[in-house]
Amino acid sequence: MAGRIRSSDIDEVKSRTNIADIVGDFVSLKSAGVGSLKGLCPFHDERSPSFHVRPQLGFYHCFGCGESGDVISFLQKMDHVTFADAVERLAARVGFQLTYEDGDSAPDHSNRARLLAANAAAETYFREQLATPGADPGRRFLGERGFDHFAADRFGVGFAPKSWDSLTAFLRGKGFSVEEITASGLVSQGDRGIYDRFRGRLIWPIRDVTGQTVGFGARKLLDDDKGPKYLNTPETAVYHKAQVLYGLDLAKRDVSRSGRVVVVEGYTDVMACHLAGVTTAVATCGTSFGVDHIKTLRRVMGDDSGKGEVIFTFDPDAAGQKAAMRAFAEEQRFSAQTYVAVAPDGLDPCDLRLNRGDDAVRRLIDAKEPMFEFVIRQTLAAYDLETVEGRVGALTESAPIIADIRDPSLRPGYTRVLARHLGVDLAEVQAAISRAGKGSNRAAASKNQVVTSPSEVPVERPASLRDLPGDPATRLERDALMAILQHPELAGHDLVQRAVLTGFVNPTLAVVRDAIAATLDSFGTAAWFARVTDTVPTPMAGLVQQLAVAPIPERSERDLTSYVREITVALVDRDLLRQSHDMLGRLQRIDPKERESYRALQGELMALEVERRRLRER
């Protein structure tokens, strides 16, 4: 086995990696001031962004749940990999050859890496097979749905030949062990041993948000195939169907830019939407739309303003209506507005494009209706509104729906709509909604917290910014330390050297000041911040990272330069003013007859005033 990765290699990989690029694969980041980015935390659910990234320092911190670290720890937590695995992935991304302490090249020993490599090899195999004579059923299926070979290539569509173990033999020839092939979910186990899971089927690669193939979806083509219509990769170490959305790797950039996502029901629907110009379409993979999907989409959308749009397309049949009601049950987990788009004549996006063209698909999405309207209409359709009993039942079931509308300005309008549909007095509907609201608001409030497990509850840290008192003296010390840690090049070595000699009111912040003073020999270098973090007591490392990523109020480069200098000067000036005040007191207490002492103290006082004037001039 290889030894540990050289620490110098780790530092080199980190220096070559922009943490914003890595985090941006999972979270939509927006500017939070000069050199600072923010987004919705990937480690817990939240309505407003409290997750901050400081690319210049290579650190992130969430002020909601307390998670913090560097680009390596971020990958470890997001992809559940070891430290070495994370370093290897980053090194591969930037094209850096790692070496171990015993001199060996970094081997590809990661279990996760091997599973991803097996999936990538299988995807290549399936795509090549689509061009073979035996894949005619697959090509015919695609052609009948309006997809040519360019479309197949764009989405990586392939074909699994009707063979017992052709894929297995291919992967064994590529150096993958039986254990690795089995763990990847590409084979099944029978009395005669392992055999290819996908046989005689059209294959879609399922990729995570970063574009890595983690599994496959396979569509039945042959009459003698006794399996289900669609067969997916089973749960593996890299594939979790409740967290993956097909097409998100292709859609994420436009989803982030537009704040809109279209959720369709199948692989061909995603293809049809993208080819028709609806490039924000995604689909679930063999499971219903759930909470984990919402978490993923909210992070990619940057869903914190309520201005985004989530559009669901459902078939008008009973199954589609059931899916719509399941989606509605989780609707309040979004800040974005939710809509439903139902195609005419019961056509899904794929059939709609095939029969009526690309423009019809775009019109379908543009003709969306608010989800509340759709759900209310579906609810009323289950009752006979010609009878008193039917109207009472419909009102009883519909009232909680309106009571749960997040935007209170919309409730009066929907109340009038419901009264009109039912043909009952407006006051009667208002009373029913009011009663429903009293019973549902507590549940809705709890639901809106979107904290779904104890591990997602914000935790208290031994030393945290939020624990600091809010008095002016502490605020000045905090802001000055933030400026120095985040922009040492603007503060300058000489000014910082003077600032760390000042007296601090807050004892916690004084420890950070002392760590800066102890590391001034490397001030301004790439390693300086890490040395500061290592110098403070372990329980305070989190506070240093918080100080390093907390947003600074100035937005422009010019304002930032002035701000960093001014806040650091203010800290020094406060200390000089305190010293001046102490000397004036001593001067008043000294006996004028002690002329030598009196003159010496006056000289020191004048020197302090000169230093204060020079500081203000700087």
Side-chain angles (χ1 to χ4, degrees):
M1 289 183 62
R4 295 191 309 171
I5 301 172
R6 290 179 180 174
S7 59
S8 59
D9 282 5
I10 296 172
D11 293 339
E12 184 65 22
V13 169
K14 289 171 65 174
S15 68
R16 294 191 186 190
T17 302
N18 185 341
I19 189 174
D21 293 338
I22 304 301
V23 175
D25 283 338
F26 301 87
V27 180
S28 177
L29 296 173
K30 302 174 183 177
S31 175
V34 178
S36 179
L37 301 167
K38 67 178 179 180
L40 293 172
C41 180
F43 302 112
H44 82 290
D45 285 336
E46 57 183 2
R47 289 285 179 187
S48 300
S50 58
F51 182 79
H52 289 258
V53 179
R54 182 70 61 174
Q56 185 177 10
L57 293 176
F59 275 86
Y60 66 87
H61 181 81
C62 176
F63 290 92
C65 68
E67 286 286 354
S68 62
D70 59 14
V71 67
I72 297 174
S73 65
F74 181 83
L75 271 187
Q76 285 184 265
K77 294 169 184 175
M78 290 302 299
D79 285 340
H80 308 288
V81 296
T82 66
F83 180 89
D85 292 338
V87 175
E88 289 174 9
R89 288 181 60 187
L90 293 172
R93 182 174 177 131
V94 299
F96 182 79
Q97 182 65 47
L98 290 172
T99 53
Y100 278 52
E101 288 187 344
D102 61 6
D104 291 343
S105 295
D108 189 10
H109 60 72
S110 161
N111 179 56
R112 176 183 173 85
R114 293 296 289 170
L115 297 187
L116 292 173
N119 280 322
E123 179 182 348
T124 299
Y125 173 79
F126 291 139
R127 294 177 70 167
E128 291 174 349
Q129 290 297 310
L130 187 61
T132 63
D136 182 65
R139 293 192 298 272
R140 188 166 58 250
F141 176 93
L142 291 171
E144 290 171 352
R145 284 154 182 77
F147 303 124
D148 57 19
H149 70 280
F150 294 109
D153 186 64
R154 176 175 173 179
F155 292 91
V157 181
F159 179 77
K162 188 179 180 182
S163 169
W164 181 259
D165 62 356
S166 61
L167 174 63
T168 302
F170 172 82
L171 293 175
R172 291 296 302 274
K174 293 291 184 181
F176 293 97
S177 67
V178 172
E179 291 75 15
E180 290 169 340
I181 299 171
T182 303
S184 68
L186 292 167
V187 296
S188 298
Q189 184 76 41
D191 295 337
R192 295 163 52 190
I194 63 170
Y195 58 91
D196 292 353
R197 179 177 178 84
F198 307 116
R199 292 169 291 159
R201 287 178 174 251
L202 199 64
I203 303 290
W204 283 268
I206 300 172
R207 301 174 179 128
D208 65 14
V209 70
T210 68
Q212 297 183 102
T213 299
V214 295
F216 297 92
R219 209 278 188 189
K220 181 168 70 173
L221 298 172
L222 307 176
D223 293 336
D224 60 354
D225 187 338
K226 304 305 180 184
K229 182 177 180 180
Y230 281 96
L231 180 65
N232 283 9
T233 295
E235 292 285 308
T236 70
V238 299
Y239 176 71
H240 308 286
K241 64 182 180 180
Q243 300 174 6
V244 178
L245 287 163
Y246 176 73
L248 186 57
D249 59 305
L250 300 175
K252 65 178 181 180
R253 187 176 301 275
D254 288 342
V255 168
S256 177
R257 288 174 177 172
S258 66
R260 168 192 272 196
V261 65
V262 177
V263 182
V264 298
E265 294 196 324
Y267 306 126
T268 57
D269 291 333
V270 171
M271 293 176 67
C273 284
H274 279 255
L275 293 171
V278 182
T279 56
T280 58
V282 299
T284 58
C285 302
T287 186
S288 58
F289 189 80
V291 173
D292 286 333
H293 295 126
I294 294 173
K295 293 179 183 178
T296 299
L297 283 181
R298 291 193 68 233
R299 291 195 295 267
V300 174
M301 293 173 66
D303 179 32
D304 62 322
S305 65
K307 296 179 181 178
E309 295 181 353
V310 181
I311 304 170
F312 294 91
T313 67
F314 297 112
D315 294 336
D317 58 15
Q321 293 177 21
K322 186 177 180 180
M325 297 307 290
R326 283 197 302 267
F328 175 69
E330 305 294 346
E331 184 272 343
Q332 291 202 14
R333 293 182 181 274
F334 284 107
S335 289
Q337 300 301 312
T338 53
Y339 298 88
V340 173
V342 179
D345 304 325
L347 299 175
D348 57 33
C350 181
D351 290 335
L352 185 64
R353 175 177 179 266
L354 183 64
N355 294 329
R356 303 186 185 181
D358 292 347
D359 190 54
V361 177
R362 295 190 291 268
R363 288 199 304 270
L364 165 66
I365 304 305
D366 291 339
K368 65 189 183 297
E369 64 175 321
M371 179 170 276
F372 282 103
E373 288 186 16
F374 175 83
V375 171
I376 290 172
R377 191 170 65 252
Q378 295 297 319
T379 301
L380 297 182
Y383 293 88
D384 181 3
L385 301 184
E386 296 300 320
T387 66
V388 173
E389 291 81 4
R391 290 192 294 271
V392 170
L395 176 58
T396 300
E397 189 170 348
S398 300
I401 296 173
I402 297 178
D404 281 346
I405 294 178
R406 279 175 282 129
D407 188 347
S409 66
L410 297 176
R411 292 178 198 147
Y414 280 111
T415 302
R416 290 190 293 271
V417 169
L418 181 58
R420 186 169 62 251
H421 281 309
L422 293 173
V424 301
D425 186 72
L426 178 61
E428 183 179 347
V429 177
Q430 289 172 331
I433 293 172
S434 177
R435 290 193 299 271
K438 292 177 182 178
S440 65
N441 282 347
R442 184 177 293 108
S446 175
K447 190 176 183 180
N448 279 334
Q449 293 295 320
V450 292
V451 175
T452 58
S453 74
S455 64
E456 295 172 344
V457 176
V459 297
E460 293 294 329
R461 296 261 174 168
S464 170
L465 279 181
R466 61 186 168 195
D467 297 331
L468 297 175
D471 60 281
T474 300
R475 288 203 305 269
L476 173 61
E477 293 163 4
R478 177 201 65 193
D479 292 348
L481 290 177
M482 284 168 52
I484 292 169
L485 289 170
Q486 294 180 27
H487 300 282
E489 76 286 354
L490 299 181
H493 182 278
D494 292 344
L495 183 56
V496 172
Q497 188 175 36
R498 178 61 185 85
V500 296
L501 297 176
T502 63
F504 269 42
V505 172
N506 186 276
T508 301
L509 295 177
V511 176
V512 181
R513 173 206 60 192
D514 294 342
I516 294 175
T519 58
L520 279 178
D521 58 321
S522 61
F523 179 82
T525 66
W528 173 66
F529 177 75
R531 284 193 62 197
V532 174
T533 307
D534 292 340
T535 300
V536 298
T538 300
M540 295 189 63
L543 174 62
V544 176
Q545 292 176 352
Q546 292 175 45
L547 290 166
V549 300
I552 284 177
E554 304 306 324
R555 296 280 174 175
S556 71
E557 291 282 359
R558 182 176 180 180
D559 291 342
L560 180 65
T561 302
S562 299
Y563 172 81
V564 171
R565 299 287 295 182
E566 288 170 3
I567 196 70
T568 310
V569 165
L571 182 68
V572 177
D573 189 56
R574 184 191 70 173
D575 192 64
L576 293 174
L577 184 61
R578 178 188 57 78
Q579 293 182 47
S580 178
H581 177 76
D582 291 344
M583 287 184 183
L584 282 172
R586 288 166 56 195
L587 200 61
Q588 291 175 356
R589 293 189 298 272
I590 201 169
D591 189 341
K593 295 180 180 178
E594 300 178 15
R595 294 182 180 180
E596 187 173 340
S597 299
Y598 193 85
R599 283 196 299 268
L601 197 55
Q602 277 188 321
E604 291 180 29
L605 189 59
M606 291 178 62
L608 281 176
E609 290 303 316
V610 170
E611 186 175 357
R612 289 190 67 198
R613 283 197 300 271
R614 287 176 178 171
L615 270 175
R616 287 193 288 269
E617 290 171 0
R618 294 172 63 178

